[in-house]
Amino acid sequence: MNELKNIISLFNGFTVEGYIWMSDATCPICYENDILEQALLDSVNPFPIEIMLFCKELNLSLSANYTDGEYIIMKRYLTDDEHTDDVYWPSFNKCFTVNGKMKSFANKIKMRQYWKETIDRNCENMIVLKPAEFVFIGFVN
C-alpha cells in the first residue's frame, strides 16, 4: 500500500480523470477533471480494490488492482514516440461523484494499447508488432 500511496502522491494538486472502486461499494467513485481525494487510501477497511487514474497535465496513467492480498500496480508516463492505438471499452452504468452523490454514467473507458516490436520466427525473422499493454487514458462519451 505504501508504494501505491507514493505513486498517487504524484497526482497531488492536479486534476485527474478516472475512478477508484472501494471494497464495500457497488459502484466506483468517478473523477472527471477533479482533484484526487487522498484520504480514500488511508482507510484499512474499506480499501481500494481497483484504481484507474489519468492526469493530462502530467501525462501520467496509473492502474492498480488488489488481487490475492496485494496490489498489482502499473504506472506509465505516456509518450508519442511509440506504436499505439486507442481503444474504447464499455464501463459501468452508475457511479458516485466526488461529493458522494450517485449518478448515471454512460461514458466509455478509453485505453491506449501499446505495441512492442519483436522478431517473429514465423515471419522469416522479421520485426513485427505484438500487443504489449493497455494503459488507461480517461473517459469518452
Side-chain angles (χ1 to χ4, degrees), residues 11 17 53-63 74-86 110-115 133-139:
F11 293 94
E17 202 169 327
L53 298 172
F54 178 64
C55 177
K56 289 179 186 172
E57 296 144 297
L58 298 172
N59 224 16
L60 174 61
S61 176
L62 167 70
S63 298
M74 186 182 75
K75 174 185 92 169
R76 182 170 182 114
Y77 287 95
L78 305 184
T79 60
D80 293 330
D81 61 342
E82 299 180 73
H83 303 287
T84 63
D85 291 313
D86 290 350
K110 186 175 181 183
M111 303 291 280
R112 179 153 298 157
Q113 182 173 15
Y114 282 84
W115 299 81
E133 62 186 322
F134 284 100
V135 177
F136 177 77
I137 57 171
F139 297 119

Side-chain angles (χ1 to χ4, degrees), residues 3 6 11 21 24 31 39 41-44 53 58 63 73 78 83 87 99 102 107-108 112 132-133 138:
E3 180 186 2
N6 289 339
F11 293 94
W21 203 313
D24 67 341
Y31 292 86
L41 299 176
D42 294 335
S43 175
V44 173
L53 298 172
L58 298 172
S63 298
I73 300 169
L78 305 184
H83 303 287
V87 294
N99 300 328
M102 180 75 72
N107 295 349
K108 291 185 178 178
R112 179 153 298 157
E133 62 186 322

Side-chain angles (χ1 to χ4, degrees), residues 7-101:
I7 293 170
I8 286 187
S9 71
L10 298 172
F11 293 94
N12 279 346
F14 293 97
T15 59
V16 296
E17 202 169 327
Y19 66 91
I20 297 178
W21 203 313
M22 300 301 286
S23 60
D24 67 341
T26 56
C27 59
I29 301 165
C30 292
Y31 292 86
E32 297 178 276
N33 296 315
D34 299 302
I35 301 291
L36 182 62
E37 192 177 326
Q38 294 252 315
L40 288 172
L41 299 176
D42 294 335
S43 175
V44 173
N45 202 5
F47 55 91
I49 55 171
E50 185 172 59
I51 299 172
M52 288 211 183
L53 298 172
F54 178 64
C55 177
K56 289 179 186 172
E57 296 144 297
L58 298 172
N59 224 16
L60 174 61
S61 176
L62 167 70
S63 298
N65 289 296
Y66 190 77
T67 305
D68 295 332
E70 63 183 307
Y71 283 99
I72 299 168
I73 300 169
M74 186 182 75
K75 174 185 92 169
R76 182 170 182 114
Y77 287 95
L78 305 184
T79 60
D80 293 330
D81 61 342
E82 299 180 73
H83 303 287
T84 63
D85 291 313
D86 290 350
V87 294
Y88 306 95
W89 293 351
S91 88
F92 23 85
N93 299 348
K94 58 185 178 177
C95 70
F96 292 108
T97 64
V98 176
N99 300 328
K101 295 189 164 88

